[in-house]
Amino acid sequence: AAKKQGGDQLSLYSLTLDEAAQNAANMRRTLEKGLKNHTLVLHYQPIVNSFGGVSGVESLIRILDPEQGLLGPAAFWAGLDHHRYARDLGIFVMDAAFRQGQTWQQQGLFLRVSINISAHHLLDARFLSDLEAALGKYPGLAPEQIEIEITESAPLHDLSQAQERLDACNQLGVRIALDDFGTGNASLTYLQQLPAQSVKLDQSFVRDMINDPKDLAIVAAVITASRMLGLDVIAEGVETEAHAKLLAKMGCSHLQGYLFAKPMPGEDIPLWVQHFKGLGLGLPSHSSIDI
Ligand code: C2E
Ligand code: MG
Ligand code: MG
Ligand code: MG
């Protein structure tokens, strides 16, 4: 830090790069430790439909560190899409999320379960057998209840391979969602080429749509295009009632965000679902699941 203050432009730059590399290495180590010590856990965030029903949950990875407590992806971001960990992580997530989904099912709670899968795992030759093995382990859960979220922010280097893989997932009955839609530089290509059933509108557009007419136009365009293609639209980062009402009015079929619930441990989901009342959306409340 002392060097940073006194240094010229060049050394400041290289120091920053160095810090960034250190930081990334630390993040990768944090994830590696989590995998090795079995301290990874999944939390689940409800996804509601615009009629006020609960349609599913998204699983989100955390590390329960013995010293630091619960760590979110920000603490190990650089590891999430790293080729070295992508498959082990994906296998953990499939197993934990499907097991939880089957448990809810046995409790009479029928939910769609979304999982995040990195591009590296999707493009790994073993991806489909990993998926089938996990599905086979939890026969109480129908493949139709699973949705795989593929983020747009990490490039799919081999689009035709990705397309084939995702087609095969669809063949199994598993659904595909395009995550963080609008943030990558291939949104429309993905929409055109990949066999998705849902589009997840990134929270950056949702957040500012009330004040920024450009964001509002993008939100409207994504909703319109998705509906024309027969896809669900899930708005991420819905934090206020004003956002929820506007999105529902614009025809957005599904909403997810802190307004409804923050991610929580799986065992808390049944009670949350029981108490969920459509939260002031002014929309009819019913417990139907739209699978
Ligand atoms: P994502 O898949 O787009 O997940 C949504 C993120 O937005 C989650 O952050 C969630 O907690 C947060 N969020 C939800 N509602 C709100 C809201 O109303 N306001 C705000 N400000 N944020 C909200 P989280 O859990 O920190 O995860 C961050 C990202 O990490 C995820 O973004 C996903 O890209 C990645 N990730 C999470 N779990 C996994 C996983 O199991 N595997 C992989 N490969 N990536 C994961
Ligand atoms: Mg996601
Ligand atoms: Mg997302
Ligand atoms: Mg996102």
Side-chain angles (χ1 to χ4, degrees):
K3 225 166 148 191
K4 210 176 181 179
Q5 276 159 16
D8 60 16
Q9 211 52 33
L10 195 70
S11 68
L12 193 151
Y13 186 59
S14 54
L15 188 72
T16 307
L17 269 183
D18 199 50
E19 279 173 351
Q22 271 302 330
N23 203 13
N26 282 336
M27 288 197 267
R28 287 199 300 273
R29 253 194 309 276
T30 300
L31 181 61
E32 186 173 307
K33 242 176 56 191
L35 281 162
K36 211 176 78 202
N37 301 340
H38 306 284
T39 50
L40 299 184
V41 291
L42 292 180
H43 278 196
Y44 298 86
Q45 186 180 34
I47 298 173
V48 308
N49 63 41
S50 53
F51 300 110
V54 181
S55 63
V57 294
E58 176 179 6
S59 74
L60 295 157
I61 192 88
R62 273 93 183 91
I63 293 177
L64 197 51
D65 187 274
E67 279 124 47
Q68 301 174 76
L70 195 67
L71 303 175
F76 48 92
W77 189 251
L80 281 182
D81 198 44
H82 195 277
H83 63 86
R84 207 181 307 156
Y85 314 117
R87 178 168 181 246
D88 287 346
L89 179 70
I91 289 174
F92 167 81
V93 168
M94 288 174 184
D95 187 75
F98 298 176
R99 184 182 340 117
Q100 179 64 75
Q102 178 169 279
T103 301
W104 287 325
Q105 192 90 347
Q106 286 159 350
Q107 296 168 344
L109 192 58
F110 191 70
L111 292 170
R112 180 177 294 158
V113 179
S114 300
I115 59 174
N116 293 283
I117 290 294
S118 82
H120 282 294
H121 191 197
L122 179 72
L123 295 176
D124 187 303
R126 296 161 290 187
F127 177 76
L128 282 172
S129 57
D130 292 342
L131 178 62
E132 285 181 285
L135 286 171
K137 237 174 122 180
Y138 304 103
L141 199 68
E144 289 73 17
Q145 279 171 271
I146 308 299
E147 188 155 273
I148 294 178
E149 299 191 2
I150 300 295
T151 183
E152 221 193 83
S153 56
L156 290 167
H157 296 293
D158 188 341
L159 195 60
S160 71
Q161 182 69 260
Q163 189 181 7
E164 267 177 45
R165 281 285 140 76
L166 296 175
D167 270 329
C169 292
N170 276 179
Q171 291 295 321
L172 293 171
V174 172
R175 299 165 52 95
I176 305 300
L178 302 179
D179 203 356
D180 306 313
F181 192 79
T183 60
N185 46 28
S187 305
L188 295 180
T189 305
Y190 285 4
L191 193 60
Q192 184 196 37
Q193 303 277 323
L194 300 178
Q197 284 71 47
S198 305
V199 165
K200 298 197 75 173
L201 190 50
D202 191 66
Q203 58 186 60
S204 59
F205 302 113
V206 174
R207 196 187 307 127
D208 298 331
M209 69 178 189
I210 306 243
N211 299 315
D212 187 337
K214 284 189 185 169
D215 284 342
L216 185 66
I218 291 168
V219 169
V222 173
I223 292 173
T224 304
S226 301
R227 292 186 68 175
M228 288 179 77
L229 294 166
L231 307 179
D232 285 350
V233 191
I234 304 163
E236 301 185 315
V238 180
E239 293 186 357
T240 70
E241 217 170 283
H243 285 90
K245 282 189 167 141
L246 183 56
L247 286 160
K249 208 174 88 187
M250 289 164 83
C252 182
S253 60
H254 294 76
L255 311 169
Q256 177 182 3
Y258 295 167
L259 173 65
F260 305 104
K262 291 199 168 172
M264 63 184 94
E267 62 264 29
D268 294 349
I269 288 286
L271 201 63
W272 183 88
V273 171
Q274 205 182 318
H275 288 287
F276 180 65
K277 294 277 192 305
L279 267 184
L281 259 179
L283 294 163
S285 158
H286 54 84
S287 59
S288 77
I289 305 304
D290 55 359
I291 290 184

